[in-house]
Amino acid sequence: MEVGKLVELNAAYARVIDNEQFEEWPKLFHDPCLYKVTTVENVAQGLEAGIIYADSRGMLEDRISALRKANIYERQRYRHIVGLPVLLGEKNGVVEAETPFLIVRIMRDGKMDLFATGSYRDKVRADGSGGLRFAERIVVCDGGRFDTLVAIPF
Amino acid sequence: MDTHRDIGVWPENSTARVPYWVYQDEANYKRELERLFAGPTWNFVCLEADIPTKGDYRTNVVGAMPVIVVRDADGRINCFENRCAHRGALIAFDDGGKVDNQFKCIYHAWSYDLSGSLRGIAFERGINGVGGMAKPFDRERFGPRKLRTTTFCGMVFATLSDQTPPIEQYLGTEISGRVKRVLNRPIKVMGRFVQALPNNWKLYVENVKDTYHASLLHLFFGTFRITRLTQGGGVLVSPDGGHHASYTIDKADDRQTTAYRDQGIRTETDYKLADPTLLDTVEEFGDKIQLQILSVFPALILQQIHNCLAVRQVVPLGTDKMEIRWTYFGFADDSPEMTTRRLKQQNLVGPAGFVSMEDGCVGGFVQRGIAAAGDEVSAIEMGGDTTESQATRATEASVRGFWKAYRERMGY
């Protein structure tokens, strides 16, 4: 698999979130899948829990419908800066890759914060039409401290 | 705004009135650290499962005081101030880990045994008889303070006071029983997360005790009948007011009620989950209680929301900052299916929780809303102005209970 294809997938991922096209986000995953937001510390200690955990595309869709319709929070946006992926291996058409990210949170009043940094630990494979999707995306945050709330996925 | 008011004077002698300066005043905050956290209270410091074997330790805080909690060679759990006798540096500076027989301060290599007693002073006798410590050095006088510890159902608490009663007496029979109900066998830690909140610590504790808000603020609760005021349930408040346990029991006839729609509340919608396995719950405590939120004065919460279990330690960080230290857990004998169920239901809580995320911002809304209202008061009179246990959750009895215990201990 070419690194360029992975870069395109990551760019599309960041773009749909930052442009608030949230309904497009679950479509970048296979179904079933695994999406989890956790921390370096939890991973190091073998602790499984995440602040977000989804093992189906439906659960990803529920994240989006909740942030659109159910949850209440102050208006905010993200800006993702996604680094270059490192290919760690490929087996049976599944590529393992790791990509660093940085997320700036922009609040309604214009306040900008460095909200999260970390690495995406991914398993990626092509769908029926040859497009790449995530079979697994584990978002491993460098810090274990989250400010106020996390409504929008990382 | 009257800037000459006296701190410590309650404007009206009622547990249903709380002045907003309690969330803003620096002198009041210092008094809380002294009288509540360093006073005769039990402060959660870790779970026994965090430090299962000899030398395992965690660091934490009791109010403003950094502490080390460690299991010693006899299996006892000791807690002492994380401050070197020499120059005051932190003795341990990681969240936790394992030591052999001692902690050693990195600054000048002074060492402490697992009870927190100073054992070794590097070059105490100098070199070739020159230099070294003056004699005699009073190790007890300068050593880190030792806290009394107690364990209850796998939770470890510490206190700086000789006056704090035994834990079950401290909690009262009813609340102790509700702790035992959940923590009925060995647990396993599943994850730890910290949530930083832009508000006074008491606003979060009140929110946890506030049974009235849950299904009104959190659409997720009402819509999926995780908790609704029209279901069965109630709130238990300890005799001193400080501790509480609220609970929800599902009732079939709740599905027919139009009470929420009649009130025009946003919880009554046709909102649906694409993947309802999130709420695939099993009854694991054998008593139909599907939600129980319990607080231990001043700053611990034990939570059972369906099969999602956690403790939340509330850490004050000044008048307008705090953090919640979440520890998600299951039981040591959980099957793989149960583990997956808990992992899914953990979506309900924590910084990104479908339910809890609103609790993350609502305290900040109050903190900002009251910016110019230090001399005004809030009205907390749902369910009257008393603090006894009630068989309804359309009440603020347990919030008033908090203020009853608070005023008593703060001397207000």
Side-chain angles (χ1 to χ4, degrees), chain B residues 107-391:
Chain B
Y107 201 172
H108 302 89
W110 287 29
S111 59
Y112 298 85
D113 67 18
L114 301 191
S115 73
S117 295
L118 176 61
R119 286 289 172 243
I121 296 177
F123 297 112
E124 184 170 10
R125 293 171 209 286
I127 295 177
N128 300 326
V130 182
M133 292 291 286
K135 283 184 185 177
F137 177 64
D138 184 349
R139 295 182 180 217
E140 286 300 314
R141 160 77 181 79
F142 292 95
R145 284 167 280 185
K146 295 177 181 179
L147 290 80
R148 269 198 306 138
T149 63
T150 191
T151 59
F152 185 48
C153 295
M155 299 188 290
V156 183
F157 296 88
T159 184
L160 276 154
S161 168
D162 297 334
Q163 308 300 315
T164 319
I167 185 75
E168 291 196 56
Q169 189 183 325
Y170 180 74
L171 293 173
T173 316
E174 276 187 319
I175 305 298
S176 296
R178 291 306 178 111
V179 174
K180 292 176 189 168
R181 173 188 166 267
V182 175
L183 295 171
N184 59 11
R185 60 192 193 278
I187 64 164
K188 68 164 183 196
V189 173
M190 295 181 72
R192 298 188 188 94
F193 300 95
V194 178
Q195 186 176 6
L197 301 189
N199 54 260
N200 186 275
W201 67 276
K202 298 185 294 300
L203 288 169
Y204 184 74
V205 174
E206 286 183 280
N207 172 279
V208 163
K209 288 171 173 282
D210 172 2
T211 51
Y212 174 39
H213 90 286
S215 60
L216 304 178
L217 174 64
H218 308 303
L219 180 141
F220 226 80
F221 261 158
T223 301
F224 299 110
R225 291 179 166 75
I226 300 169
T227 184
R228 287 159 60 103
L229 295 171
T230 45
Q231 290 171 306
V235 57
L236 305 173
V237 184
S238 64
D240 71 344
H243 325 291
H244 98 291
S246 61
Y247 58 99
T248 303
I249 299 170
D250 197 19
K251 285 195 305 190
D253 59 354
D254 176 59
R255 296 174 206 290
Q256 271 73 53
T257 180
T258 60
Y260 278 75
R261 200 180 313 145
D262 297 345
Q263 296 279 323
I265 289 166
R266 55 185 279 280
T267 46
E268 192 73 22
T269 68
D270 54 3
Y271 186 67
K272 296 246 182 337
L273 286 176
D275 185 345
T277 62
L278 175 73
L279 295 172
D280 168 28
T281 304
V282 295
E283 195 189 316
E284 59 177 321
F285 300 106
D287 57 8
K288 304 256 192 266
I289 292 178
Q290 60 181 21
L291 176 144
Q292 178 183 290
I293 305 291
L294 183 150
S295 66
V296 176
F297 191 87
L300 177 74
I301 295 107
L302 168 66
Q303 155 224 306
Q304 175 230 334
I305 299 174
H306 286 215
N307 303 115
C308 175
L309 312 175
V311 288
R312 315 174 192 169
Q313 181 192 355
V314 176
V315 178
L317 298 170
T319 56
D320 60 355
K321 286 190 183 63
M322 58 158 282
E323 65 187 31
I324 310 169
R325 299 187 181 175
W326 293 85
T327 306
Y328 301 169
F329 65 89
F331 293 107
D333 61 4
D334 280 348
S335 66
E337 295 74 28
M338 194 62 173
T339 296
T340 302
R341 180 176 289 116
R342 295 198 204 281
L343 289 169
K344 289 189 183 194
Q345 292 186 14
Q346 283 156 3
N347 279 296
L348 295 170
V349 302
F354 285 132
V355 173
S356 330
M357 83 167 69
E358 285 121 4
D359 295 327
C361 64
V362 79
F365 294 165
V366 176
Q367 194 79 34
R368 281 146 62 186
I370 63 173
D375 294 320
E376 303 294 324
V377 296
S378 61
I380 309 174
E381 52 192 47
M382 286 294 288
D385 60 2
T386 57
T387 63
E388 78 281 359
S389 299
Q390 298 188 4

Side-chain angles (χ1 to χ4, degrees), chain B residues 46-59 68-73 75-78 80 95-103 114 192:
Chain B
C46 70
L47 295 165
E48 283 199 75
D50 289 325
I51 48 171
T53 58
K54 183 202 157 194
D56 291 340
Y57 75 94
R58 296 284 298 170
T59 56
I68 295 171
V69 199
V70 61
R71 194 179 289 271
D72 69 18
R76 277 192 309 257
I77 294 174
N78 303 322
F80 53 93
D95 294 334
K98 195 175 187 67
V99 293
D100 290 329
N101 297 307
Q102 62 173 5
F103 290 92
L114 301 191
R192 298 188 188 94

